[in-house]
Amino acid sequence: MLDDTVAIVTGGSTGIGKAIAEKYLEHGADVVVSNRTEESGRETAEELGCEYVQCDVSEYDQVETLIEATVEEFGRLDTIVNNAGIGHAASLEEMSIEDWQRVLRVNLDGVMYGSRAALPHLKETEGSIVNVASIYGLVAGPGAPAYSAAKGGVVNLTREIAVDYASANVRANCICPGFVETPMTDDYLEQDQFYEFVRGETPLGRVAQPEEISGIAAFLASEEASYITGANIPVDGGWTAH
Ligand code: NAP
């Protein structure tokens, strides 16, 4: 499905990003995994058998370097998966201004930076952007205003890119996962009360595994999705259906 294509997965060292990188490789893509923490990123790349470039997505010059290094290595770029993100739970009054800015910088600016730096190359390949937002980009999450604001921004930024670059045949789509068992959610889901809240809000009655998110990410990057752009697709066990 992705033979002869080249993809970057930000935040690809673990969790959802790692599963997406694995799925892309399975479907024949060349993959560059990227994250902030070099040791864990390199370890994952070695395990999966793909390339690695260190990059903090909240620093534009590092994102540019990631894109340029990929194009230098493989000669093209077909897909960027803007997946890197951080969780954050605190009410507006509880959080520091620095925390607000940090969450917005990684979760929203990072997606803008990845998309902006990739676009010149995606125009050449008529490639696509796959963003990872959240159900909390579609509905409010209790106690997570910075995270929800950033993810809501990603949802509408995706639509904007889709509209602006349709004439160049560059597609942009977004996945909005519900709760997924990853290092990001481990601590929360270990708390019985929180786990029961999540189960109660999820019609399918359970959290997802990263592998339940990666298939749609591969599909969206493929020719099978050639008429899909500007879509924000919940993969949430029914969370946003009620
Ligand atoms: P995770 O297990 O915590 O992994 C996050 C990844 O992002 C890691 O590779 C991490 O690498 C990287 N990262 C964090 N900050 C970065 C930065 N500034 N620059 C570059 N890389 C950075 O998280 P996850 O659960 O897989 O989440 C992946 C995406 O899905 C996120 O955007 C998250 O918001 C979204 N999501 C997750 C859930 C869920 O329930 N898990 C639900 C909805 C949406 P480092 O080690 O370098 O930090």
Side-chain angles (χ1 to χ4, degrees):
M1 190 156 70
L2 299 175
D3 285 335
D4 303 320
T5 68
V6 176
I8 292 171
V9 182
T10 69
S13 64
T14 184
I16 294 170
K18 182 180 176 186
I20 292 175
E22 210 164 2
K23 186 63 80 181
Y24 275 51
L25 286 161
E26 219 176 279
H27 283 290
D30 285 315
V31 174
V32 175
V33 150
S34 175
N35 76 334
R36 224 176 5 177
T37 314
E38 187 160 355
E39 199 183 334
S40 58
R42 280 200 186 283
E43 213 171 276
T44 296
E46 210 162 291
E47 181 192 328
L48 300 183
C50 64
E51 295 296 315
Y52 174 76
V53 177
Q54 191 274 340
C55 165
D56 181 338
V57 296
S58 66
E59 300 290 339
Y60 190 64
D61 56 338
Q62 293 188 29
V63 176
E64 279 190 309
T65 302
L66 164 64
I67 307 288
E68 295 315 323
T70 301
V71 173
E72 203 165 299
E73 173 73 21
F74 293 106
R76 61 188 287 137
L77 178 64
D78 297 272
T79 307
I80 182 158
V81 183
N82 290 307
N83 162 79
I86 52 174
H88 186 255
S91 73
L92 279 192
E93 287 175 295
E94 284 163 0
M95 84 175 67
S96 66
I97 299 298
E98 289 72 24
D99 274 356
W100 169 267
Q101 289 170 340
R102 184 173 56 88
V103 174
L104 270 285
R105 268 210 316 276
V106 176
N107 290 1
L108 179 56
D109 295 1
V111 173
M112 183 277 190
Y113 293 171
S115 304
R116 184 181 198 268
L119 272 164
H121 304 287
L122 299 180
K123 286 197 283 188
E124 281 180 20
T125 55
E126 300 191 344
S128 85
I129 293 170
V130 178
N131 293 327
V132 180
S134 165
I135 48 172
Y136 286 178
L138 300 171
V139 298
Y147 187 81
S148 292
K151 294 300 189 181
V154 172
V155 163
N156 224 25
L157 176 60
T158 305
R159 295 189 182 109
E160 189 65 44
I161 297 169
V163 169
D164 288 349
Y165 289 89
S167 60
N169 263 331
V170 173
R171 297 179 299 107
N173 292 294
C174 184
I175 301 166
C176 296
F179 276 85
V180 187
E181 223 175 276
T182 70
M184 179 184 281
T185 53
D186 274 357
D187 287 350
Y188 296 110
L189 294 174
E190 270 170 20
Q191 299 163 29
D192 290 345
Q193 205 182 345
F194 190 81
Y195 189 76
E196 283 314 311
F197 158 70
V198 170
R199 272 169 42 92
E201 290 293 322
T202 310
L204 283 182
R206 61 177 179 84
V207 298
Q209 296 304 311
E211 295 70 29
E212 296 182 277
I213 313 296
S214 56
I216 185 77
F219 170 75
L220 287 172
S222 78
E223 271 304 301
E224 301 290 315
S226 56
Y227 202 59
I228 302 178
T229 196
N232 291 286
I233 299 174
V235 187
D236 64 357
W239 185 294
T240 55
H242 69 113

